[in-house]
């Protein structure tokens, strides 16, 4: 059975949708400044873990594995 992405997005909270929007904006800002090749295959990380703080000093480019390892939270910590 196929996933219903439209429904999944609709049931998310407004805060979750806004955070996602700001994470996408952060990637576009870094891409505009450094170019597409510089961030290809990498993640844009928020140093203070606040997705709404898109100041340049708070954003950095990291490998996907390092960023997702450091931001992983399984609920047991």
């Amino acid at each position: 059975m196929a996933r219903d992405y439209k429904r999944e997005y609709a049931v998310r909270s407004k805060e979750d949708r806004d955070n996602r929007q700001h994470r996408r904006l952060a990637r576009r800002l870094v891409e505009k400044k450094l170019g597409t090749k510089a961030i290809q295959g990498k993640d844009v990380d928020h140093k203070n873990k606040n997705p709404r703080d898109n100041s340049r000093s708070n954003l950095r480019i990291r490998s996907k594995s390092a960023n997702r390892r450091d931001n992983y939270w399984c609920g047991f910590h």
Side-chain angles (χ1 to χ4, degrees):
M1 187 165 151
R3 286 177 65 177
D4 187 357
Y5 291 99
K6 193 177 210 178
R7 185 190 147 285
E8 286 180 29
Y9 188 77
V11 297
R12 282 193 186 143
S13 73
K14 173 78 169 127
E15 183 180 2
D16 287 343
R17 286 181 282 170
D18 287 346
N19 285 342
R20 180 169 168 78
Q21 178 183 354
H22 282 86
R23 285 192 296 270
R24 287 190 309 243
L25 176 62
R27 186 164 184 89
R28 286 195 305 269
L29 291 171
V30 173
E31 183 177 4
K32 186 175 182 179
K33 180 140 181 103
L34 301 177
T36 305
K37 285 196 172 201
I39 63 171
Q40 193 169 22
K42 300 189 186 299
D43 282 350
V44 175
D45 180 40
H46 290 85
K47 293 178 188 177
N48 67 3
K49 309 298 185 227
N50 178 2
R52 294 180 186 218
D53 181 4
N54 284 338
S55 61
R56 181 62 185 116
S57 62
N58 186 44
L59 300 176
R60 63 182 169 187
I61 299 174
R62 299 187 73 197
S63 70
K64 286 182 180 182
S65 60
N67 186 47
R68 294 174 189 188
R69 177 185 63 234
D70 293 344
N71 292 326
Y72 176 73
W73 185 80
C74 65
F76 298 113
H77 300 182

